[in-house]
Amino acid sequence: MYEQVSHALLNDILDAFSHRFRREDLRHFYTRLGANFYAIHSLFGHLYGHRQDFKEQTVRLTERLARAYIERPAALKELDMAREADHNWFLDQQWVGMALYADGFAGNLPGLIERLPYLQELGVNMVHVMPILRCPQGASDGGYAVSDFRDIDPRMGTVEDVRALGARMRERGMLLTLDVVVNHTSDEHDWARRARAGERAFQDFYYTFPNRDVPDMFEATMPEIFPETAPGNFTWDAEMQRWVMTVFNNYQWDLNYANPAVFIEMLDIILFWINQGADIIRLDAVAFLWKKIGTTSQNEHEAHLILQLMKDCCQVVAPGPLFIAEAIVSPSEIIKYFGEDAVIAKECEIAYNATFMALLWDAVATKNAKLLNQGIQSLPHKLDRATWLNYVRCHDDIGLGFDDADIRASDYDPYHHRRFLIDWFTGVYEGSPGRGRPFGVNPKTGDARISGALASLAGLEAALESGDQQAIDQAVDLILTLHAMILSFGGIPLIWYGDELGTLNDNSFLEDATKAGDSRWIHRPRIDWGRAERRHQPGTVEQRIFDGLRQLIEVRKHTPAFADFNNRELIEVANPHLFVFLRAHPTLQSGAVVVAANFDANPQFLDLDVLNQRGLFRQGQIEDLITGESPALFNNRMVIPPFHFYWLTSQRARAQL
């Protein structure tokens, strides 16, 4: 019955379109709309079918899709068709990303265009430009409090500069990733201003209440995101004389997706940036899209329906671009953002592998891989046509959201282990070389997260201060080992800008009153391009890290086993300091690679009998893909130096790569 209703409604809409869009070539649009309309109608009906204006809102939604398709440039439509024909294109090992703030990296968008050769020198071909939309100065949350979703911060450039950046990147075979903050707006957005002015339609764009009755019900079960700086989840707006939901900061108003007008507007904004040339859209804070009394208002079923609906609608207009789910949640929850009960991603094709990132840092502090191995075993299998975004550092803090059961299985006490990690990386623990800062300290629970640049957390800053050459060497080795893990794990590696040069903490944020209360600014650097030139001076830290990382990227791109087809197998070894896994391409009989990393400050050995029993390395001499040399070996035990890794294959297999 429901299918018949949707079919009849589609016929009515198409009949109206035949008069309204008579001169437009909508052949591909009609084909995709017909293929996806039942799913769109079903999801839209599940969310909004109880409303009297449901049919009217469905027509409005479809009209927005048609307009976006008409506005899509011809070159991007051709790219859509090419990606439809090669639907696994983003699973290839060729892709290597970098995330950056345009102002910190290159000043503005035109400056970023000029720096594209630098990125290509490193081997980066996917660039995530952190939020560049118009935000209030001093209350921007690093670009995530947007006051105009269709305009650029004038300090960054113009919308035309975005189009120019996208075009230049396509010429170079590079992908452009942009953010759309889907959960909230700035309190200075036009919608918020009109809500303050008393317009009921725009008050319904947000969660606003005349008294504390409903907010108190929400607060009973909702956690605090920023307990230090923004306790609670509601803010009193004196001008509006209403309480408004502000889950993140008091100047970020949460959008009410129970209102279909909100969904249509935000979808239209996503399509707008896709039409400016974005290959990938990072959807920020997707776990918070649906609020429900009596719950944490995170990871609700309706939030997934909203993402599925966004994906289906984008498939009609532009099937080429991808979605990234920015959901820093438990492994059992993050896997749902690909889409449940499916083979291909019904929601987002890419998701942040925050669990892997945090587990790597645990291995750094403990100098063993016990929790890393345990946590990876608990990481659910993802869909075939979906992939991880693997990273060591990003613009955000390092959370310690490990599963308590995994911590206990690794012979640690959850509370004390997290306390140790915070103390280690902030340099409180005796003998620690960590130079991070705590973030998000909750005085009620004692919970905290960690801020800091990779090089400073990994001990390079302390080593340079002391002039200890051995400590410097070990820190450089550790930095490269961490990157080797994200480059080989399976998924798209994402490098944080400045890490390719060993950039240290930037404490200048303390001099800016608008930033001093947010320690995450310590690892959001402004690149010193004079220092970056030292990457050409042999023996410098910058040269060793940059060239080491460039070589890793080059080898990755020539290693088919590193493509992401769910082709990773964790190998359990007796040595707790080692992290070992196998990568093997599903359609190639040879070319398997064993990745082995030692997180200890002492040499460790890998018993090759464990690999031989799996049929690995029984014939041909073992070789490291990076150096082309054979690691030290005695009585079938391989020595792995401190803070070092190997990408192991046989000479026979290497010859066939």
Side-chain angles (χ1 to χ4, degrees):
M1 181 63 185
Y2 204 48
E3 188 169 4
Q4 292 176 348
V5 172
S6 69
H7 184 72
L9 179 57
L10 178 59
N11 283 337
D12 291 344
I13 292 171
L14 294 181
D15 184 59
F17 278 11
S18 66
H19 301 289
R20 193 172 308 165
F21 301 115
R22 185 174 300 171
R23 298 180 181 179
E24 303 294 340
D25 182 0
L26 297 175
R27 288 172 297 174
H28 291 297
F29 174 79
Y30 286 149
T31 299
R32 295 175 187 146
L33 181 63
N36 290 279
F37 190 77
Y38 175 65
I40 291 171
H41 184 260
S42 298
L43 290 166
F44 203 64
H46 188 96
L47 291 165
Y48 310 116
H50 61 283
R51 295 174 57 104
Q52 291 184 346
D53 63 348
F54 172 70
K55 182 176 180 179
E56 175 189 339
Q57 296 286 1
T58 306
V59 173
R60 285 186 59 230
L61 172 64
T62 312
E63 287 178 345
R64 293 288 185 101
L65 299 182
R67 289 197 190 102
Y69 179 81
I70 291 168
E71 293 168 358
R72 189 154 178 77
L76 299 181
K77 289 180 178 178
E78 290 180 13
L79 191 57
D80 288 335
M81 289 187 284
R83 289 175 178 170
E84 279 185 299
D86 180 19
H87 61 273
N88 285 334
W89 63 272
F90 63 96
L91 303 178
D92 196 273
Q93 77 275 9
Q94 295 291 324
W95 301 113
V96 176
M98 176 177 282
L100 53 84
Y101 278 106
D103 57 340
F105 183 75
N108 53 28
L109 292 179
L112 177 55
I113 292 174
E114 293 179 5
R115 293 295 181 184
L116 292 179
Y118 169 85
L119 296 174
Q120 288 191 296
E121 178 187 346
L122 182 62
V124 165
N125 52 18
M126 184 191 101
V127 182
H128 173 201
V129 181
M130 301 296 290
I132 52 176
L133 302 186
R134 189 181 290 271
C135 293
Q137 292 191 32
S140 70
D141 188 27
Y144 290 95
V146 178
S147 56
D148 190 336
F149 282 108
R150 298 176 190 269
D151 197 13
I152 298 297
D153 182 334
R155 294 169 296 180
M156 295 299 101
T158 65
V159 174
E160 178 56 39
D161 290 327
V162 175
R163 289 195 290 269
L165 174 63
R168 196 70 61 86
M169 290 178 67
R170 284 192 297 278
E171 292 172 0
R172 295 172 176 267
M174 305 174 79
L175 305 177
L176 173 61
T177 301
L178 297 177
D179 281 85
V180 174
V181 183
V182 289
N183 179 69
H184 46 258
T185 74
S186 162
D187 62 353
E188 296 187 23
H189 192 284
D190 182 60
W191 300 339
R193 292 178 184 275
R194 296 177 71 171
R196 278 200 179 105
E199 293 189 47
R200 182 68 186 182
F202 287 96
Q203 288 181 355
D204 287 345
F205 267 48
Y206 303 97
Y207 297 90
T208 69
F209 305 96
N211 56 51
R212 287 289 309 187
D213 292 348
V214 174
D216 284 345
M217 289 291 290
F218 272 112
E219 293 279 23
T221 54
M222 290 178 68
E224 295 175 313
I225 303 303
F226 298 139
E228 282 183 297
T229 56
N233 290 278
F234 289 86
T235 298
W236 174 253
D237 188 83
E239 184 176 345
M240 188 169 54
Q241 287 292 293
R242 294 178 74 87
W243 290 93
V244 58
M245 183 177 285
T246 54
V247 168
F248 287 86
N249 289 291
N250 58 12
Y251 52 81
Q252 290 168 299
W253 288 15
D254 284 58
L255 288 165
N256 175 19
Y257 277 89
N259 180 352
V262 170
F263 175 86
I264 292 171
E265 289 298 328
M266 294 308 297
L267 173 66
D268 202 43
I269 288 162
I270 291 170
L271 293 172
F272 174 80
W273 290 110
I274 283 175
N275 280 350
Q276 307 314 308
D279 299 283
I280 303 173
I281 294 291
R282 177 186 179 274
L283 301 174
D284 183 68
V286 293
F288 299 85
L289 292 183
W290 197 267
K291 310 302 194 294
K292 189 178 295 183
I293 287 175
T295 73
T296 62
S297 291
Q298 296 181 36
N299 305 308
E300 292 298 319
H301 176 63
E302 289 84 355
H304 292 284
L305 298 184
I306 289 168
L307 291 173
Q308 290 177 34
L309 186 55
M310 286 179 172
K311 171 52 62 179
D312 285 340
C313 289
C314 286
Q315 288 295 106
V316 173
V317 175
L322 309 174
F323 284 172
I324 296 175
E326 192 275 324
I328 311 304
V329 295
S330 68
S332 61
E333 290 296 336
I334 187 60
I335 207 75
K336 297 177 183 178
Y337 287 92
F338 293 127
E340 295 185 271
D341 303 321
V343 175
I344 65 172
K346 294 192 300 183
E347 298 182 26
C348 300
E349 293 88 351
I350 309 171
Y352 281 87
N353 198 349
T355 298
F356 185 42
M357 178 275 297
L359 289 169
L360 287 172
W361 284 111
D362 182 90
V364 170
T366 62
K367 295 184 174 59
N368 70 64
K370 290 194 299 182
L371 184 54
L372 174 56
N373 280 292
Q374 179 65 38
I376 294 303
Q377 290 181 49
S378 300
L379 188 68
H381 290 290
K382 63 173 183 59
L383 302 180
D384 287 344
R385 191 175 173 267
T387 198
W388 293 115
L389 202 62
N390 298 311
Y391 61 108
V392 182
R393 288 301 293 115
C394 66
H395 74 289
D396 230 333
D397 55 275
I398 299 173
L400 305 177
F402 315 115
D403 188 284
D404 283 358
D406 287 336
I407 298 177
R408 293 189 182 97
S410 303
D411 300 322
Y412 300 129
D413 172 78
Y415 175 82
H416 291 101
H417 189 63
R418 290 190 178 95
R419 186 71 258 167
F420 159 72
L421 294 174
I422 294 166
D423 290 348
W424 178 270
F425 287 115
T426 56
V428 174
Y429 195 89
E430 185 177 355
S432 165
R435 293 293 183 269
R437 288 176 178 263
F439 173 77
V441 178
N442 189 331
K444 301 174 186 177
T445 64
D447 291 339
R449 283 110 74 187
I450 301 159
S451 296
L454 185 156
S456 296
L457 294 173
L460 182 59
E461 182 174 335
L464 291 171
E465 289 174 355
S466 67
D468 184 336
Q469 189 59 50
Q470 182 182 12
I472 293 172
D473 294 343
Q474 289 192 337
V476 169
D477 287 343
L478 179 57
I479 290 169
L480 292 175
T481 293
L482 290 169
H483 280 110
M485 296 303 98
I486 66 168
L487 284 158
S488 58
F489 185 76
I492 301 173
L494 187 69
I495 300 163
W496 182 238
Y497 79 115
D499 287 351
E500 79 282 6
L501 296 167
T503 302
L504 305 177
N505 286 340
D506 180 2
N507 289 297
S508 65
F509 80 99
L510 295 170
E511 302 167 8
D512 185 335
T514 65
K515 297 177 179 178
D518 187 343
S519 65
R520 293 174 299 178
W521 286 103
I522 200 171
H523 56 254
R524 299 171 180 175
R526 290 191 173 274
I527 298 299
D528 180 344
W529 287 102
R531 178 173 171 268
E533 286 301 309
R534 296 179 62 185
R535 72 188 187 278
H536 300 306
Q537 300 176 20
T540 62
V541 165
E542 293 80 3
Q543 178 270 322
R544 294 171 63 190
I545 295 176
F546 188 92
D547 283 354
L549 186 51
R550 178 171 59 180
Q551 185 181 21
L552 290 176
I553 292 170
E554 180 68 17
V555 172
R556 168 190 160 86
K557 291 182 178 181
H558 287 89
T559 307
F562 288 160
D564 188 15
F565 295 106
N566 278 331
N567 50 325
R568 180 188 64 255
E569 180 183 356
L570 188 67
I571 298 177
E572 294 186 38
V573 296
N575 190 328
H577 301 285
L578 302 184
F579 179 51
V580 184
F581 57 90
L582 172 67
R583 301 299 312 281
H585 196 281
T587 63
L588 299 177
Q589 294 182 351
S590 62
V593 178
V594 171
V595 177
N598 174 18
F599 285 93
D600 193 29
N602 300 300
Q604 298 293 328
F605 70 84
L606 172 61
D607 191 339
L608 295 184
D609 287 341
V610 176
L611 305 181
N612 297 156
Q613 291 168 6
R614 294 171 174 264
L616 298 167
F617 308 139
R618 288 179 176 176
Q619 297 178 340
Q621 189 171 6
I622 299 176
E623 191 171 284
D624 176 31
L625 284 175
I626 303 301
T627 63
E629 300 175 352
S630 297
L633 186 66
F634 182 77
N635 281 346
N636 218 33
R637 288 185 169 182
M638 176 185 298
V639 177
I640 305 179
F643 305 120
H644 198 76
F645 74 96
Y646 287 126
W647 288 349
L648 301 169
T649 188
S650 67
Q651 287 183 336
R652 177 180 299 178
R654 180 181 176 88
Q656 297 175 1
L657 289 177

